[in-house]
Short mmCIF file of all heavy atoms in Angstrom, two decimals:
data_model
loop_
_atom_site.label_atom_id
_atom_site.label_comp_id
_atom_site.label_asym_id
_atom_site.label_seq_id
_atom_site.Cartn_x
_atom_site.Cartn_y
_atom_site.Cartn_z
N ARG A 1 6.27 7.78 12.91
CA ARG A 1 7.13 7.20 14.00
C ARG A 1 7.86 6.04 13.66
O ARG A 1 8.80 5.53 14.17
CB ARG A 1 6.21 6.86 15.21
CG ARG A 1 5.49 8.04 15.86
CD ARG A 1 4.67 7.62 17.01
NE ARG A 1 3.76 8.62 17.45
CZ ARG A 1 2.99 8.65 18.48
NH1 ARG A 1 3.04 7.55 19.28
NH2 ARG A 1 2.22 9.57 18.91
N THR A 2 7.31 5.40 12.51
CA THR A 2 7.98 4.18 11.79
C THR A 2 8.12 4.42 10.44
O THR A 2 7.72 5.45 9.81
CB THR A 2 7.11 2.92 12.12
OG1 THR A 2 5.78 3.03 11.56
CG2 THR A 2 6.95 2.75 13.65
N GLY A 3 8.75 3.46 9.70
CA GLY A 3 9.04 3.46 8.40
C GLY A 3 7.74 3.25 7.46
O GLY A 3 6.78 2.82 8.03
N ALA A 4 7.92 3.50 6.19
CA ALA A 4 6.77 3.26 5.26
C ALA A 4 6.45 1.83 5.12
O ALA A 4 7.43 1.09 4.58
CB ALA A 4 6.98 4.08 4.07
N CYS A 5 5.28 1.37 5.31
CA CYS A 5 5.00 -0.05 5.07
C CYS A 5 5.01 -0.41 3.58
O CYS A 5 5.29 -1.66 3.24
CB CYS A 5 3.64 -0.40 5.57
SG CYS A 5 3.63 -0.33 7.43
N CYS A 6 4.65 0.41 2.66
CA CYS A 6 4.76 0.16 1.35
C CYS A 6 6.15 -0.35 0.92
O CYS A 6 6.43 -1.31 0.20
CB CYS A 6 4.37 1.25 0.36
SG CYS A 6 2.57 1.69 0.44
N GLU A 7 7.18 0.42 1.37
CA GLU A 7 8.60 0.13 0.94
C GLU A 7 8.97 -1.24 1.53
O GLU A 7 9.75 -1.98 0.94
CB GLU A 7 9.45 1.23 1.49
CG GLU A 7 9.06 2.66 0.87
CD GLU A 7 9.07 2.54 -0.64
OE1 GLU A 7 9.98 1.88 -1.29
OE2 GLU A 7 8.17 3.20 -1.29
N ALA A 8 8.49 -1.52 2.75
CA ALA A 8 8.82 -2.81 3.34
C ALA A 8 8.21 -4.00 2.58
O ALA A 8 8.88 -4.95 2.28
CB ALA A 8 8.38 -2.84 4.78
N LEU A 9 6.97 -3.76 1.99
CA LEU A 9 6.42 -4.89 1.32
C LEU A 9 7.09 -5.06 -0.09
O LEU A 9 7.23 -6.11 -0.58
CB LEU A 9 4.90 -4.58 1.05
CG LEU A 9 3.99 -4.51 2.32
CD1 LEU A 9 2.71 -4.00 1.98
CD2 LEU A 9 3.78 -6.00 2.61
N ILE A 10 7.48 -3.90 -0.60
CA ILE A 10 8.12 -3.88 -1.98
C ILE A 10 9.59 -4.61 -1.84
O ILE A 10 9.88 -5.47 -2.65
CB ILE A 10 8.23 -2.46 -2.56
CG1 ILE A 10 6.91 -1.98 -2.94
CG2 ILE A 10 9.23 -2.53 -3.82
CD1 ILE A 10 6.87 -0.40 -3.15
N SER A 11 10.17 -4.15 -0.78
CA SER A 11 11.63 -4.67 -0.58
C SER A 11 11.64 -6.18 -0.26
O SER A 11 12.54 -6.91 -0.71
CB SER A 11 12.37 -3.93 0.56
OG SER A 11 12.40 -2.64 0.27
N ALA A 12 10.49 -6.68 0.39
CA ALA A 12 10.48 -8.11 0.73
C ALA A 12 10.04 -8.94 -0.48
O ALA A 12 9.99 -10.15 -0.45
CB ALA A 12 9.38 -8.36 1.79
N GLY A 13 9.52 -8.31 -1.62
CA GLY A 13 9.23 -9.05 -2.77
C GLY A 13 7.81 -9.58 -2.82
O GLY A 13 7.45 -10.53 -3.56
N VAL A 14 6.96 -8.99 -1.95
CA VAL A 14 5.57 -9.32 -2.05
C VAL A 14 4.93 -9.03 -3.44
O VAL A 14 5.42 -7.96 -4.02
CB VAL A 14 4.70 -8.52 -0.92
CG1 VAL A 14 3.27 -8.71 -1.10
CG2 VAL A 14 5.30 -9.05 0.41
N SER A 15 4.26 -9.92 -4.02
CA SER A 15 3.73 -9.75 -5.37
C SER A 15 2.30 -9.24 -5.45
O SER A 15 1.97 -8.60 -6.50
CB SER A 15 3.76 -11.01 -6.14
OG SER A 15 2.90 -12.00 -5.59
N ARG A 16 1.61 -9.29 -4.43
CA ARG A 16 0.15 -8.85 -4.51
C ARG A 16 -0.24 -8.37 -3.19
O ARG A 16 0.12 -9.02 -2.15
CB ARG A 16 -0.77 -10.15 -4.92
CG ARG A 16 -2.19 -9.68 -4.89
CD ARG A 16 -3.11 -11.05 -5.47
NE ARG A 16 -4.52 -10.81 -5.45
CZ ARG A 16 -5.38 -11.60 -4.67
NH1 ARG A 16 -4.88 -12.60 -4.11
NH2 ARG A 16 -6.61 -11.32 -4.80
N VAL A 17 -0.93 -7.23 -3.15
CA VAL A 17 -1.54 -6.78 -1.88
C VAL A 17 -3.01 -6.61 -1.93
O VAL A 17 -3.53 -5.88 -2.96
CB VAL A 17 -0.98 -5.37 -1.47
CG1 VAL A 17 -1.67 -4.66 -0.33
CG2 VAL A 17 0.58 -5.48 -1.28
N VAL A 18 -3.72 -7.24 -1.08
CA VAL A 18 -5.20 -7.08 -1.02
C VAL A 18 -5.54 -6.23 0.21
O VAL A 18 -5.25 -6.74 1.41
CB VAL A 18 -6.01 -8.31 -0.91
CG1 VAL A 18 -7.49 -8.14 -0.89
CG2 VAL A 18 -5.72 -9.16 -2.26
N SER A 19 -6.13 -5.07 0.20
CA SER A 19 -6.48 -4.31 1.34
C SER A 19 -7.98 -4.30 1.51
O SER A 19 -8.68 -4.26 0.47
CB SER A 19 -5.92 -2.93 1.24
OG SER A 19 -6.63 -2.16 0.37
N ALA A 20 -8.42 -4.20 2.70
CA ALA A 20 -9.89 -4.11 2.99
C ALA A 20 -10.43 -2.86 2.52
O ALA A 20 -11.50 -2.59 1.98
CB ALA A 20 -10.15 -4.49 4.48
N MET A 21 -9.63 -1.64 2.78
CA MET A 21 -10.18 -0.37 2.56
C MET A 21 -9.03 0.67 2.40
O MET A 21 -7.86 0.39 2.86
CB MET A 21 -11.08 0.24 3.79
CG MET A 21 -10.33 0.19 5.17
SD MET A 21 -11.38 0.71 6.35
CE MET A 21 -11.43 2.47 5.98
N GLN A 22 -9.29 1.82 1.82
CA GLN A 22 -8.40 2.93 1.65
C GLN A 22 -8.23 3.53 3.06
O GLN A 22 -9.19 3.70 3.81
CB GLN A 22 -8.84 3.80 0.69
CG GLN A 22 -7.97 5.04 0.34
CD GLN A 22 -8.42 6.00 -0.71
OE1 GLN A 22 -8.39 5.55 -1.95
NE2 GLN A 22 -8.73 7.29 -0.43
N ASP A 23 -7.04 4.04 3.36
CA ASP A 23 -6.79 4.75 4.57
C ASP A 23 -7.35 6.14 4.41
O ASP A 23 -7.15 6.94 3.43
CB ASP A 23 -5.28 4.84 4.77
CG ASP A 23 -4.90 5.33 6.16
OD1 ASP A 23 -5.69 6.05 6.71
OD2 ASP A 23 -3.78 4.99 6.59
N PRO A 24 -8.22 6.55 5.41
CA PRO A 24 -8.70 7.92 5.46
C PRO A 24 -7.90 9.03 5.85
O PRO A 24 -8.26 10.12 5.64
CB PRO A 24 -9.96 7.81 6.48
CG PRO A 24 -9.41 6.75 7.45
CD PRO A 24 -8.76 5.77 6.58
N ASN A 25 -6.72 8.52 6.30
CA ASN A 25 -5.75 9.60 6.64
C ASN A 25 -5.19 10.43 5.42
O ASN A 25 -4.77 9.81 4.52
CB ASN A 25 -4.49 8.89 7.32
CG ASN A 25 -3.45 9.89 7.89
OD1 ASN A 25 -3.43 11.12 7.52
ND2 ASN A 25 -2.64 9.46 8.68
N PRO A 26 -5.29 11.77 5.36
CA PRO A 26 -4.95 12.44 4.19
C PRO A 26 -3.50 12.22 3.71
O PRO A 26 -3.24 12.35 2.54
CB PRO A 26 -5.14 13.88 4.71
CG PRO A 26 -6.16 13.89 5.68
CD PRO A 26 -5.90 12.50 6.45
N GLN A 27 -2.60 11.85 4.77
CA GLN A 27 -1.16 11.58 4.30
C GLN A 27 -1.25 10.27 3.50
O GLN A 27 -0.10 10.07 2.86
CB GLN A 27 -0.44 11.39 5.66
CG GLN A 27 -0.20 12.66 6.40
CD GLN A 27 0.73 12.49 7.59
OE1 GLN A 27 0.28 11.79 8.57
NE2 GLN A 27 1.89 12.93 7.66
N VAL A 28 -2.21 9.46 3.49
CA VAL A 28 -2.19 8.25 2.80
C VAL A 28 -3.13 8.35 1.65
O VAL A 28 -3.03 8.59 0.44
CB VAL A 28 -2.48 7.01 3.66
CG1 VAL A 28 -2.16 5.72 2.83
CG2 VAL A 28 -1.44 7.04 4.87
N ALA A 29 -4.45 7.99 1.98
CA ALA A 29 -5.56 8.22 1.01
C ALA A 29 -5.48 7.94 -0.42
O ALA A 29 -5.65 8.65 -1.31
CB ALA A 29 -5.98 9.83 1.14
N GLY A 30 -4.95 6.62 -0.55
CA GLY A 30 -4.73 6.17 -1.84
C GLY A 30 -3.24 6.21 -2.34
O GLY A 30 -2.89 5.45 -3.31
N ALA A 31 -2.40 7.08 -1.68
CA ALA A 31 -1.04 7.05 -2.07
C ALA A 31 -0.21 5.73 -1.88
O ALA A 31 0.62 5.51 -2.60
CB ALA A 31 -0.39 8.20 -1.33
N GLY A 32 -0.67 5.07 -0.87
CA GLY A 32 -0.10 3.75 -0.54
C GLY A 32 -0.33 2.76 -1.64
O GLY A 32 0.52 2.10 -2.26
N HIS A 33 -1.58 2.62 -2.07
CA HIS A 33 -2.05 1.75 -3.33
C HIS A 33 -1.20 2.20 -4.45
O HIS A 33 -0.79 1.35 -5.23
CB HIS A 33 -3.49 1.90 -3.52
CG HIS A 33 -4.44 1.21 -2.46
ND1 HIS A 33 -5.66 1.62 -2.06
CD2 HIS A 33 -4.10 0.15 -1.53
CE1 HIS A 33 -6.06 0.79 -1.09
NE2 HIS A 33 -5.25 -0.12 -0.77
N ALA A 34 -1.20 3.51 -4.65
CA ALA A 34 -0.44 3.96 -5.92
C ALA A 34 1.03 3.64 -5.90
O ALA A 34 1.62 3.22 -6.97
CB ALA A 34 -0.54 5.57 -5.99
N ARG A 35 1.64 3.72 -4.75
CA ARG A 35 3.11 3.39 -4.66
C ARG A 35 3.24 1.88 -5.02
O ARG A 35 4.20 1.59 -5.67
CB ARG A 35 3.68 3.82 -3.28
CG ARG A 35 5.09 3.30 -3.10
CD ARG A 35 6.11 3.97 -3.87
NE ARG A 35 7.43 3.43 -3.86
CZ ARG A 35 8.18 2.88 -4.80
NH1 ARG A 35 7.49 2.62 -6.05
NH2 ARG A 35 9.25 2.40 -4.54
N LEU A 36 2.39 1.05 -4.52
CA LEU A 36 2.57 -0.43 -4.55
C LEU A 36 2.42 -0.73 -6.14
O LEU A 36 3.09 -1.48 -6.61
CB LEU A 36 1.41 -1.15 -3.78
CG LEU A 36 1.76 -1.01 -2.26
CD1 LEU A 36 0.63 -1.67 -1.58
CD2 LEU A 36 2.99 -1.79 -1.84
N ALA A 37 1.31 -0.14 -6.65
CA ALA A 37 1.16 -0.41 -8.08
C ALA A 37 2.20 0.18 -9.00
O ALA A 37 2.66 -0.46 -10.01
CB ALA A 37 -0.27 0.35 -8.44
N GLU A 38 2.75 1.28 -8.63
CA GLU A 38 3.80 1.77 -9.39
C GLU A 38 5.15 1.00 -9.32
O GLU A 38 5.80 0.86 -10.38
CB GLU A 38 4.17 3.25 -8.83
CG GLU A 38 5.37 4.00 -9.39
CD GLU A 38 5.56 5.36 -8.69
OE1 GLU A 38 6.11 5.16 -7.52
OE2 GLU A 38 5.33 6.37 -9.22
N ALA A 39 5.31 0.19 -8.30
CA ALA A 39 6.32 -0.71 -8.14
C ALA A 39 6.11 -2.06 -8.90
O ALA A 39 6.96 -2.92 -8.76
CB ALA A 39 6.69 -1.00 -6.62
N GLY A 40 4.78 -2.28 -9.41
CA GLY A 40 4.57 -3.32 -10.07
C GLY A 40 3.87 -4.48 -9.36
O GLY A 40 3.47 -5.56 -9.89
N LEU A 41 3.42 -4.25 -8.05
CA LEU A 41 2.61 -5.11 -7.40
C LEU A 41 1.14 -5.07 -7.93
O LEU A 41 0.67 -4.00 -8.36
CB LEU A 41 2.55 -4.77 -5.98
CG LEU A 41 3.83 -5.27 -5.05
CD1 LEU A 41 5.07 -4.50 -5.39
CD2 LEU A 41 3.62 -5.27 -3.60
N VAL A 42 0.49 -6.21 -7.79
CA VAL A 42 -0.90 -6.34 -8.17
C VAL A 42 -1.57 -5.88 -6.89
O VAL A 42 -1.37 -6.32 -5.77
CB VAL A 42 -1.35 -7.76 -8.57
CG1 VAL A 42 -2.79 -7.73 -8.71
CG2 VAL A 42 -0.58 -8.36 -9.62
N VAL A 43 -2.56 -4.84 -7.06
CA VAL A 43 -3.18 -4.25 -5.83
C VAL A 43 -4.70 -4.33 -6.05
O VAL A 43 -5.21 -4.09 -7.11
CB VAL A 43 -2.84 -2.76 -5.67
CG1 VAL A 43 -3.47 -2.20 -4.63
CG2 VAL A 43 -1.31 -2.59 -5.60
N ALA A 44 -5.33 -4.83 -5.07
CA ALA A 44 -6.94 -4.91 -5.01
C ALA A 44 -7.35 -4.42 -3.65
O ALA A 44 -6.61 -4.55 -2.67
CB ALA A 44 -7.43 -6.22 -5.32
N SER A 45 -8.43 -3.72 -3.61
CA SER A 45 -9.06 -3.13 -2.41
C SER A 45 -10.61 -3.32 -2.28
O SER A 45 -11.19 -3.45 -3.27
CB SER A 45 -8.71 -1.68 -2.32
OG SER A 45 -8.98 -1.13 -1.00
N GLY A 46 -11.06 -3.36 -1.14
CA GLY A 46 -12.44 -3.32 -0.82
C GLY A 46 -13.02 -4.71 -0.50
O GLY A 46 -14.22 -4.99 -0.28
N LEU A 47 -12.10 -5.60 -0.05
CA LEU A 47 -12.56 -6.94 0.45
C LEU A 47 -12.91 -6.82 2.02
O LEU A 47 -11.97 -6.44 2.74
CB LEU A 47 -11.38 -7.95 0.31
CG LEU A 47 -11.71 -9.36 0.86
CD1 LEU A 47 -13.01 -9.95 0.20
CD2 LEU A 47 -10.42 -10.25 0.53
#
């Protein structure tokens, strides 16, 4: 219903993303983290 948040973070120039957990939605399920890392952002999860 809305745009992809990964692209918004990348476009804004965010350099690091820390997520608490992976999204259990099969449409995401790690693909968000993968896209951010692919774009050069530092990504950490599990906090």
Side-chain angles (χ1 to χ4, degrees):
R1 300 182 189 180
T2 60
C5 292
C6 283
E7 300 308 319
L9 291 166
I10 294 167
S11 297
V14 169
S15 62
R16 177 179 179 236
V17 173
V18 179
S19 72
M21 60 177 288
Q22 180 173 295
D23 192 334
N25 186 341
Q27 290 184 291
V28 186
H33 288 151
R35 173 65 184 116
L36 294 169
E38 183 181 63
L41 280 72
V42 176
V43 181
S45 185
L47 178 58

